[in-house]
């Protein structure tokens, strides 16, 4: 399912594509937060805390030359509610062979496991795969699986296996580098050690792809300083979250969030000491 659509300048367009959704225990995300204040915030936002099911939005960028996916979803091996990207591509008559570039925000399962299909073959055989050097080095390091914690050891094993599959088609980039014309990497370390956001500019239009640096439309905006249980370095992630919200609200720059609702495209509005997510209508 196509989630949302955004024109950039006269020659580029971004469409968010559904990879399904995740089904997570709420405590996994919100367990580190002050519970009394959290309950008030979530009640105010009419959030059902008996379940937590954030949608997964893969951003598709197309201009006159390139067809670019930002992340590739979870593939067939992570969670039955996710891994729907291939079906979504079929609804817009886009073949995996048409994709020229894949750009990763980070290497968690719902973002990178989709590089392999049901037969463990590369799903995007003609694409150059781009990933931040710091993120690659972290997941490639054999000690990561031993230090990441038992609950995330499978993440490390799965990331390494998929990195081995794309090793001959991968290009690395660093903070501030232009990954492709008009697409610049912005360090947003914390959710993972090498997580990247991407600032896309075309003419006078701009958008920030934030990946999982801003992970939900309520707590992350109203209390960006609170620690999330899904962040590998909660303190660093909170600092990044506040910085991104400040920048995008001041610059009136649209954002695309992998787990934000209704396709994930919207803008950030300052609201006193907090922020609000205003989704595209």
């Amino acid at each position: 399912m196509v989630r949302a659509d955004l024109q950039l300048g006269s020659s580029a367009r971004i469409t968010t594509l559904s990879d399904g959704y995740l089904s997570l225990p709420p405590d996994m995300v919100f367990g580190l937060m002050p519970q009394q204040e959290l309950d008030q915030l979530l009640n105010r936002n009419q959030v059902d805390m008996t379940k937590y099911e954030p949608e997964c939005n893969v951003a598709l960028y197309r201009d006159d030359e390139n067809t670019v996916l930002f992340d590739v979803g979870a593939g067939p091996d992570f969670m039955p509610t996710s891994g729907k990207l291939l079906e979504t591509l079929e609804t817009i008559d886009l073949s995996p062979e048409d994709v020229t570039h894949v750009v990763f925000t980070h290497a968690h399962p719902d973002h990178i496991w989709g590089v392999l299909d049901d037969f463990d073959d590369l799903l995007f055989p003609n694409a150059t795969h781009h990933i931040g050097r710091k993120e690659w080095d972290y997941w490639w390091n054999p000690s990561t699986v031993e230090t990441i914690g038992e609950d995330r050891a499978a993440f490390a094993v799965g990331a390494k296996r998929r990195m081995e599959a794309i090793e001959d088609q991968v290009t690395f980039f660093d903070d501030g580098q232009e990954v492709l014309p008009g697409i610049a990497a912005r360090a947003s370390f914390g959710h993972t050690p090498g997580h990247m956001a991407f600032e896309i500019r075309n003419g006078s239009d701009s958008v920030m792809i934030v990946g999982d640096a801003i992970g939900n439309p309520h707590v992350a905006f109203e209390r960006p300083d609170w620690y999330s249980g899904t962040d590998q370095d909660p303190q660093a992630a909170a600092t990044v979250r506040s910085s991104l919200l400040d920048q995008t609200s001041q610059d009136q720059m649209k954002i695309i969030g992998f787990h934000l609702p209704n396709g994930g495209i919207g803008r950030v509005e300052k609201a006193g000491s907090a922020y609000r997510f205003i989704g595209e209508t």
Side-chain angles (χ1 to χ4, degrees):
M1 181 174 65
V2 173
R3 294 287 198 182
D5 202 56
L6 178 66
Q7 182 71 35
L8 280 176
S10 60
S11 61
R13 179 172 293 275
I14 295 181
T15 305
T16 54
L17 309 175
S18 175
D19 190 55
Y21 65 93
L22 302 183
S23 182
L24 304 174
D27 190 61
M28 178 180 176
V29 181
F30 305 110
L32 298 177
M33 300 175 184
Q35 292 303 300
Q36 185 172 354
E37 292 177 74
L38 174 68
D39 288 344
Q40 294 172 356
L41 189 158
L42 295 177
N43 286 334
R44 188 165 63 250
N45 286 276
Q46 299 181 322
V47 178
D48 178 6
M49 282 307 294
T50 63
K51 59 183 180 179
Y52 186 64
E53 297 180 338
E55 62 185 63
C56 300
N57 304 302
V58 173
L60 169 67
Y61 170 90
R62 288 180 281 190
D63 60 21
D64 294 335
E65 297 183 11
N66 300 310
T67 299
V68 184
L69 287 175
F70 288 88
D71 297 327
V72 292
D77 298 328
F78 182 52
M79 196 174 284
T81 57
S82 61
K84 312 302 182 184
L85 178 61
L86 185 56
E87 298 170 28
T88 303
L89 290 173
E90 290 173 354
T91 67
I92 60 171
D93 295 322
L94 188 68
S95 163
E97 288 78 15
D98 296 330
V99 175
T100 60
H101 302 270
V102 169
V103 181
F104 295 108
T105 60
H106 64 297
H108 275 165
D110 51 328
H111 296 257
I112 197 173
W113 282 21
V115 296
L116 297 179
D117 63 16
D118 290 336
F119 305 99
D120 275 354
D121 294 324
L122 280 182
L123 185 57
F124 306 101
N126 300 326
T128 301
H129 294 67
H130 304 259
I131 191 169
R133 192 182 313 271
K134 185 179 176 71
E135 184 75 355
W136 178 279
D137 289 347
Y138 173 74
W139 295 102
W140 192 264
N141 189 333
S143 69
T144 294
V145 70
E146 301 166 2
T147 58
I148 195 173
E150 185 178 349
D151 58 334
R152 291 179 175 172
F155 290 12
V157 173
K160 181 69 177 296
R161 184 161 76 87
R162 286 154 181 85
M163 287 175 171
E164 289 171 345
I166 65 172
E167 186 178 7
D168 293 335
Q169 294 175 230
V170 74
T171 298
F172 303 115
F173 58 83
D174 298 301
D175 179 33
Q177 186 175 340
E178 194 172 57
V179 180
L180 291 165
I183 302 175
R186 185 200 191 281
S188 47
F189 308 154
H191 181 69
T192 62
H195 187 286
M196 286 285 187
F198 300 94
E199 185 173 329
I200 304 177
R201 293 190 176 273
N202 190 301
S204 60
D205 295 330
S206 63
V207 62
M208 185 78 76
I209 291 181
V210 301
D212 283 5
I214 303 173
N216 58 66
H218 30 72
V219 177
F221 287 81
E222 291 191 40
R223 292 305 305 261
D225 56 316
W226 284 357
Y227 290 177
S228 171
T230 58
D231 294 330
Q232 290 184 224
D233 184 338
Q235 183 174 4
T239 300
V240 161
R241 196 157 44 243
S242 294
S243 175
L244 283 171
L245 290 168
D246 185 60
Q247 177 188 349
T248 53
S249 63
Q250 284 196 18
D251 295 349
Q252 298 184 349
M253 181 186 299
K254 287 188 171 64
I255 67 170
I256 299 177
F258 193 85
H259 294 302
L260 295 181
N262 302 317
I265 300 178
R267 59 185 174 86
V268 181
E269 186 177 88
K270 194 82 163 66
S273 61
Y275 302 86
R276 279 197 296 263
F277 176 64
I278 311 296
E280 288 286 285
T281 57

